[in-house]
Amino acid sequence: MTTKKVTKKAGKKTCTTLKEHIVEIISDSGEGAQRCGQSLGSIAARMGNGIWTTEIIPAEIRPPARSVAGASGNRIRIGSSYITNGGDETDLVVAFNEQVLLGRVNARELKPGCIILLENMWRSHNDQNIVKSYTEAYERLVKAGYKVVEIPMEEECLKLTSNAKRGKNMFALGILCYIYSFELQMARDQIALTFGKKEKSVIDANVELLEAGHKWAEANIDFRFSIPATPSGKQQISINGNTSLALGVMASGMDICAMYPITPATSASHYLSEAFEKVGGIVHQAEDEIAACAFAIGASYAGKCTVTITSGPGYSLKQEAIGLAVMAEIPLVVVNVQRGGPSTGQPTKVEQGDLLTTIYGSHGDAPKVVMAPATIEDCFYSVITARRIAETFNTVVVILSDASLSSSQQPFDRPQFQESWLAPPIDQSPVPAGAKPYDWDPVTGIARRFIPGQPGGMHTVTGLAHDRDSHVAYDPDINQEGLRARSLKLAALQKTLLPPEVFGAPKGDLLVIGWGSTKGAIEEAVEGLRAEGKKVASINLRFLQPMQPGIKEIMQRYKKVLTIETNWSDNPNDELINEDSRRYSSLATLLRSRYLVDVDCWTEVRGQPVKPRTIRQVLLAKLEK
Amino acid sequence: MKLSATKQLLDLYKEQSALEDYQSGVPRWCTGCGDNAILTAVQRLCRDEGLRPEKTVFVSGIGCSSRFPHYMKTYGFHGIHGRAFPVAEGVKMSRPDLTVFVNTGDGDCCSIGAAHWIHALRYNMNMTVFLHDNQIYGLTKKQASPTSPIGTKSNTTPRGSYLDALNPLTVSLGVSNVSFIAQAVDWIPETLYEIVKAAYHHKGFSFVRIIQRCPEWLPKSLDPWLQDPERVQLLHHANGLQISQGLSRVYKNQVEHDPLDIHRAREIASNTDIIPVGILYQNREVACYEDTRHSGALRTVEAIKKNFNAELDKYSV
Ligand SMILES: Cc1ncc(C[n+]2csc(CCOP(=O)(O)OP(=O)(O)O)c2C)c(N)n1
Ligand code: SF4
Ligand SMILES: [Mg+2]
């Protein structure tokens, strides 16, 4: 997205009007940059700006102070209107030390010429090594063309507090509120909200620091921005993807969530443990993921559909039990907040590596529904939909979220609670004489399940091959019939789905296909190219299994089709790679095998959300080829 | 047509009066398999206690013994190897009104499901567990199990198994929150029934290790105990089992043991020469996890909606 700049004089200073800006606040962990960033995001959102906040999380809980890999903080993309993704590189960064900053520079996360507000206490530090590394870094950054503004944050804060470490973040917030022309009162309100549980003296101290930062910036900073807001006019909430999933669990009427802690999924369960349990919901922390999944299956079997929440390694452990739920036809919602893999991989980083293992995983043919929310709002509604599908079709529904959605925050329209979202009470009525527990419908494969407590419905569900009475059966025809029924349910669901919406040109040169969290960045790139007259379009697949109808017909309207994903695919330019050996990305593999269309792929596994600018370059290259 | 309450109660009584009402299918266990005796004892329990078949769930894993639920005319869940406990816990958590039983083998419980077993003891959910301990993997055709005595010849240990057997009793008695541990043998139906009954009546996780014969793979391994009644020690106590006169004539090795005495229980459990039979430990005071977790908050539509909106308020911008 290009920034439109209108510069006007405000007093003796210039105030530049921007369409959007990306701001980052980073520190050692524990220094409060996260809170500063979150507050800034919330203030912007209350001003009516579009925002996309991304957490910057070091891999370790407490990396050593002043380390290149230790950056902790937040990155906020602030725009005039709705923002769909984290955008490209950063325009302005506040850094509490030069080392965490260098980490971001090395990761190529800063825009050339980016404004850097840098804590300068290190210049006069007792330790000569620190002084040296600071001055060297400073010079290197200036030379590289960054606009570095040194700020005596520590010194200024010490005027107000004995422990500057604890107040710096609010001082920085004050500076940023000044720079982005946010109303100071909004910031005061935000502080009151953030520290709402603390004593008034804490709130007052923080407000004082905020105001000091603001005042300092007014006196010392010679630039100022404004990003005019276009409020949606609707009531909005701003949350991250995991909170959104958790709210979805609450609104779906499910009673129990079984889990085992794993990054980046755990915060959803943390939140549920707080909020869900107030109304009798139960979060069971099991002894491992196998137990969590089996527990959820047992709970679903005897009652309402249950959810289990995990990430990649935990998902692998659940696979056998997921097969059991598929085989025994027990409703179950599994949330997999994907992270980098394989093995322990990159726990805090973004990747979409679990698609094929989800679709094909668990041994044998274990057809299950696989959905992928594309936005933070989607995370919420996906759970409600998943619960309903699971109970309608008596099967497993997997929701594939990822670390990009889980750690990003975005405002969206406040959901209006509907009673129909809630799971209905379980059936406890007597089962009609002669009814069978697996009376598979010949067309849809659906059978009505009998729930313990229903008189006359007694039977033993089993993971072994079974007949309509749920009797273990190795008869060849019966096995064939069971597999057919379980597979048909996906076809039946498929008939209820709508084709994906095409974003961009209805036909043309290039169609980009994505799934999950890449939607916003892909659409931004497509929109930019369209504005330049390119005939490109994109679709985002919400259902990966079964797939929505009409996909082949859409693909045929474009000369080329390309998927963009954050999972592995071989680069066709590598020496050993050719059509015989190339491993395609997950979605491309699925599309190629299903539709016999020559779908190409471009993927990246840098642990970061793909940037719109990167996608733009990929698309331009693909258009030219 | 509506039936009067009295008529319905009478029907109920009639319905449950026969053993056949809990029997389903013909068990496919080998002749002489100890699982048959366990099945008989449990079906008798159901009849005597008048358990409603539709409110009763038998959960199992995988193994010969895990076929058990199929032979009960109740609800049943024949799951996957080693995971009977977490499935049963889920059932109990979502439906405390159901009566839950678990059937698990020595491989199922003490090997692949060992982590779940330890934690199941700790959760202390109200369910009755039968460990069908035949000291071998039956279904998969004779491999050593954790409870196989050292030296057991099997298909994976043709020269004899290498490790000392794991003792399910001492392991169980070492876990915090343990509330009911008993041991029975399949060849003394009377005590088997009494122990199964006491386990059923205990509120909490009632764990009964049943030493079970597997004539197919270990036809002689229990002979020393079968042939010498002195090597079976009956535990009795005013708060535990009472031993009938008939039984006393055969089994003279008896000892009084207070089930509240966990230290003594551990000592008795450590004895492998002699098989102790009876209730080793019972503590009625241990809280059940499902009771602790069910807050009593009413899950009405209004309450859910109100809570949901209050949460959204926190995130409003
Ligand atoms: C994940 C998994 N691993 C292995 C098996 C194979 N298997 C089935 S039953 C069993 C052991 C059965 O022994 P036990 O639990 O003692 O039951 P028994 O047959 O003796 O009653 C094994 C290893 C399986 N079904 N699933
Ligand atoms: S193999 Fe052993 S445990 Fe299995 S049914 Fe036969 S006798 Fe019983
Ligand atoms: Mg066994």
Side-chain angles (χ1 to χ4, degrees):
Chain A
M1 201 184 274
T2 48
T3 42
K4 186 174 63 186
K5 296 198 179 182
V6 187
T7 309
K8 63 171 191 267
K9 295 269 178 192
K12 56 182 187 325
K13 286 187 193 170
T14 54
C15 181
T16 311
T17 304
L18 304 173
K19 215 171 145 199
E20 64 151 273
H21 226 219
I22 300 177
V23 194
E24 193 166 294
I25 302 108
I26 47 172
S27 67
D28 288 342
S29 57
E31 284 189 318
Q34 296 253 359
R35 178 161 277 171
C36 174
Q38 276 157 9
S39 303
L40 186 75
S42 301
I43 295 164
R46 279 133 144 281
M47 295 287 296
N49 287 106
I51 59 155
W52 183 280
T53 309
T54 313
E55 286 170 25
I56 300 167
I57 321 164
E60 294 163 59
I61 296 283
R62 281 261 170 213
R66 294 175 39 82
S67 63
V68 177
S72 162
N74 255 302
R75 185 176 186 278
I76 311 108
R77 185 180 184 194
I78 307 172
S80 276
S81 45
Y82 186 65
I83 300 275
T84 63
N85 67 92
D88 297 319
E89 293 79 14
T90 299
D91 297 289
L92 183 149
V93 52
V94 183
F96 289 15
N97 69 62
E98 83 289 351
Q99 293 301 317
V100 292
L101 178 66
L102 290 178
R104 302 294 291 164
V105 173
N106 297 346
R108 301 194 294 275
E109 288 294 345
L110 306 188
K111 211 166 265 175
C114 159
I115 301 167
I116 296 171
L117 308 182
L118 185 57
E119 161 71 86
N120 74 353
M121 64 182 277
W122 315 107
R123 202 179 263 292
S124 50
H125 201 274
N126 294 336
D127 184 336
Q128 282 312 303
N129 289 328
I130 291 182
V131 174
K132 185 159 169 268
S133 78
Y134 177 84
T135 44
E136 277 173 14
Y138 176 83
E139 273 148 33
R140 176 183 148 196
L141 292 166
V142 172
K143 214 165 175 186
Y146 294 107
K147 181 173 176 182
V148 189
V149 183
E150 291 189 88
I151 304 192
M153 285 195 253
E154 178 91 0
E155 192 185 318
E156 289 295 321
C157 291
L158 280 175
K159 293 179 186 166
L160 298 165
T161 167
S162 54
N163 186 356
K165 247 191 162 38
R166 310 218 36 191
K168 229 180 252 184
N169 59 347
M170 290 298 122
F171 187 82
L173 184 64
I175 296 179
L176 290 169
C177 285
Y178 170 78
I179 292 179
Y180 289 100
S181 317
F182 291 148
E183 285 164 29
L184 206 49
Q185 192 49 43
M186 286 264 187
R188 289 192 197 99
D189 295 349
Q190 183 59 40
I191 289 177
L193 207 73
T194 320
F195 295 96
K197 284 186 196 152
K198 303 245 167 88
E199 304 104 71
K200 186 161 179 303
S201 61
V202 175
I203 298 176
D204 289 347
N206 279 288
V207 168
E208 209 183 350
L209 285 155
L210 169 93
E211 288 170 351
H214 195 272
K215 218 162 142 201
W216 186 91
E218 198 168 7
N220 297 288
I221 301 255
D222 63 354
F223 55 87
R224 209 174 179 188
F225 304 123
S226 102
I227 306 168
T230 38
S232 75
K234 288 190 185 152
Q235 268 196 319
Q236 293 206 313
I237 57 166
S238 180
I239 53 177
N240 69 30
N242 277 359
T243 307
S244 190
L245 286 167
L247 284 166
V249 169
M250 289 164 60
S252 73
M254 288 190 276
D255 291 336
I256 297 175
C257 163
M259 51 72 69
Y260 185 80
I262 185 165
T263 306
T266 322
S267 69
S269 305
H270 288 180
Y271 178 60
L272 282 174
S273 304
E274 264 310 309
F276 186 43
E277 298 205 350
K278 280 189 207 142
V279 279
I282 288 171
V283 178
H284 170 62
Q285 179 179 324
E287 57 272 24
D288 59 34
E289 284 90 348
I290 300 176
C293 196
F295 188 102
I297 291 169
S300 275
Y301 157 75
K304 288 182 198 164
C305 180
T306 301
V307 62
T308 181
I309 305 180
T310 190
S311 182
Y315 190 82
S316 293
L317 288 179
K318 290 177 200 286
Q319 289 273 27
E320 190 196 6
I322 286 173
L324 168 66
V326 170
M327 186 64 149
E329 303 191 44
I330 295 165
L332 177 71
V333 176
V334 183
V335 176
N336 176 355
V337 184
Q338 299 165 94
R339 60 192 232 177
S343 191
T344 311
Q346 300 206 87
T348 59
K349 304 284 184 186
V350 181
E351 202 175 290
Q352 300 178 308
D354 298 347
L355 178 55
L356 294 180
T357 199
T358 304
I359 289 184
Y360 296 117
S362 206
H363 49 285
D365 185 53
K368 62 195 94 62
V369 179
V370 183
M371 302 169 65
T375 63
I376 288 162
E377 181 177 21
D378 246 11
C379 289
F380 174 77
Y381 292 103
S382 293
V383 184
I384 296 169
T385 308
R387 199 280 303 156
R388 190 172 294 161
I389 293 174
E391 286 195 339
T392 307
F393 294 89
N394 290 333
T395 194
V396 177
V397 183
V398 182
I399 298 175
L400 288 177
S401 178
D402 66 35
S404 170
L405 294 171
S406 68
S407 61
S408 303
Q409 211 166 308
Q410 178 197 33
F412 60 88
D413 291 347
R414 180 186 169 114
Q416 299 302 315
F417 181 86
Q418 285 167 37
E419 198 177 324
S420 61
W421 289 344
L422 299 179
I426 54 166
D427 189 355
Q428 291 288 280
S429 64
V431 167
K436 293 172 187 294
Y438 292 100
D439 209 1
W440 296 302
D441 182 272
V443 179
T444 62
I446 301 172
R448 174 191 155 185
R449 74 179 177 122
F450 302 159
I451 299 173
Q454 285 191 268
M458 288 81 74
H459 68 289
T460 291
V461 301
T462 173
L464 284 156
H466 49 268
D467 63 14
R468 287 170 180 255
D469 288 311
S470 198
H471 291 153
V472 176
Y474 300 119
D475 181 301
D477 291 338
I478 290 173
N479 194 46
Q480 183 90 9
E481 187 185 26
L483 272 114
R484 174 174 178 270
R486 293 188 293 273
S487 183
L488 278 177
K489 293 193 287 187
L490 290 189
L493 169 63
Q494 203 265 349
K495 292 283 171 285
T496 70
L497 303 180
L498 297 171
E501 273 174 49
V502 176
F503 180 87
K507 59 183 188 187
D509 295 326
L510 176 60
L511 176 73
V512 187
I513 309 185
W515 61 283
S517 66
T518 52
K519 179 173 188 270
I522 290 175
E523 291 185 353
E524 192 167 317
V526 165
E527 195 180 24
L529 291 172
R530 290 250 298 153
E532 294 164 29
K534 304 278 192 276
K535 294 198 184 81
V536 294
S538 65
I539 54 176
N540 174 280
L541 304 185
R542 301 293 171 79
F543 281 85
L544 283 316
Q545 175 155 287
M547 283 208 185
Q548 293 155 269
I551 294 172
K552 182 162 192 173
E553 190 269 324
I554 295 172
M555 289 198 286
Q556 284 167 340
R557 304 203 300 250
Y558 302 83
K559 290 192 189 122
K560 293 172 185 166
V561 183
L562 173 79
T563 72
I564 301 262
E565 299 169 68
T566 53
N567 52 47
W568 181 255
S569 67
D570 288 329
N571 183 339
N573 300 326
D574 278 352
E575 199 177 325
L576 296 183
I577 301 303
N578 57 25
E579 264 310 297
D580 290 339
S581 61
R582 184 178 185 202
R583 293 171 65 233
Y584 282 81
S585 66
S586 307
L587 181 58
T589 301
L590 292 174
L591 294 171
R592 290 173 71 86
S593 70
R594 175 174 296 280
Y595 299 111
L596 303 179
V597 170
D598 188 11
V599 179
D600 193 4
C601 59
W602 180 88
T603 67
E604 185 179 76
V605 284
R606 302 181 67 241
Q608 307 287 340
V610 205
K611 294 190 165 44
R613 189 201 310 285
T614 313
I615 297 173
R616 174 193 161 83
Q617 280 150 8
V618 170
L619 302 193
L620 279 171
K622 183 70 189 172
L623 281 165
E624 266 166 31
K625 243 194 276 174
Chain B
M1 186 187 63
K2 278 223 169 106
L3 298 174
S4 76
T6 327
K7 174 88 174 53
Q8 285 190 41
L9 285 173
L10 283 173
D11 284 353
L12 267 183
Y13 177 74
K14 252 195 294 176
E15 240 177 69
Q16 289 180 58
S17 58
L19 265 183
E20 294 83 64
D21 290 315
Y22 298 95
Q23 292 169 343
S24 168
V26 182
R28 304 259 180 94
W29 291 309
C30 306
T31 320
C33 173
D35 286 334
N36 291 295
I38 302 171
L39 180 66
T40 305
V42 172
Q43 284 173 340
R44 206 180 130 198
L45 173 87
C46 291
R47 181 198 59 187
D48 294 354
E49 300 296 334
L51 293 185
R52 297 291 306 153
E54 74 273 13
K55 296 282 253 178
T56 306
V57 186
F58 282 81
V59 181
S60 66
I62 295 290
C64 292
S65 42
S66 287
R67 279 297 185 103
F68 196 101
H70 288 282
Y71 309 135
M72 295 298 303
K73 210 190 273 174
T74 61
Y75 278 89
F77 196 118
H78 180 200
I80 46 177
H81 194 31
R83 321 300 170 195
F85 291 126
V87 170
E89 289 153 13
V91 171
K92 193 68 193 176
M93 186 63 91
S94 83
R95 294 289 301 280
D97 60 311
L98 299 175
T99 302
V100 179
F101 293 90
V102 176
N103 302 91
T104 179
D106 41 315
D108 205 56
C109 173
C110 308
S111 191
I112 190 170
H116 309 313
W117 168 38
I118 304 298
H119 289 278
L121 285 157
R122 188 169 154 254
Y123 297 135
N124 191 42
M125 297 183 82
N126 187 14
M127 56 182 74
T128 308
V129 179
F130 307 121
L131 166 58
H132 302 231
D133 190 353
N134 56 4
Q135 306 172 353
I136 196 80
Y137 286 8
L139 189 71
T140 46
K141 303 192 174 29
K142 200 179 187 183
Q143 296 85 21
S145 100
T147 61
S148 301
I150 188 165
T152 301
K153 290 204 165 119
S154 78
N155 285 319
T156 47
T157 56
R159 290 168 300 284
S161 59
Y162 310 101
L163 301 171
D164 263 331
L166 176 146
N167 180 339
L169 298 178
T170 52
V171 171
S172 301
L173 287 165
V175 179
S176 47
N177 287 343
V178 59
S179 76
F180 185 102
I181 303 296
Q183 175 153 278
V185 293
D186 75 40
W187 61 89
I188 313 180
E190 187 181 321
T191 54
L192 176 61
Y193 174 77
E194 290 301 329
I195 290 167
V196 162
K197 188 167 142 192
Y200 163 75
H201 281 287
H202 173 75
K203 183 169 189 286
F205 188 82
S206 321
F207 182 79
V208 186
R209 180 206 193 190
I210 305 172
I211 297 180
Q212 173 226 327
R213 284 168 296 175
C214 172
E216 183 71 12
W217 307 125
L218 298 176
K220 301 212 176 326
S221 69
L222 291 165
D223 279 1
W225 290 273
L226 281 156
Q227 282 159 9
D228 181 2
E230 278 299 306
R231 293 186 68 178
V232 171
Q233 183 175 58
L234 301 186
L235 310 178
H236 63 94
H237 192 267
N239 299 327
L241 286 192
Q242 276 90 54
I243 302 161
S244 72
Q245 278 187 351
L247 210 55
S248 290
R249 258 176 253 135
V250 187
Y251 293 98
K252 302 209 168 66
N253 184 351
Q254 299 183 3
V255 63
E256 187 172 23
H257 166 62
D258 181 353
L260 265 174
D261 185 349
I262 197 161
H263 302 296
R264 183 79 188 106
R266 287 177 182 146
E267 263 172 54
I268 295 170
S270 308
N271 196 345
T272 46
D273 258 5
I274 286 176
I275 297 176
V277 167
I279 300 169
L280 283 101
Y281 182 65
Q282 180 170 22
N283 181 349
R284 294 185 172 85
E285 306 295 312
V286 186
C288 292
Y289 181 61
E290 70 272 29
D291 295 341
T292 310
R293 297 308 313 275
H294 281 281
S295 61
L298 277 185
R299 284 188 59 68
T300 60
V301 175
E302 258 328 293
I304 292 173
K305 177 177 177 178
K306 201 167 148 224
N307 184 52
F308 177 72
N309 280 325
E311 287 304 315
L312 294 192
D313 289 344
K314 286 190 197 160
Y315 299 106
S316 289
V317 291

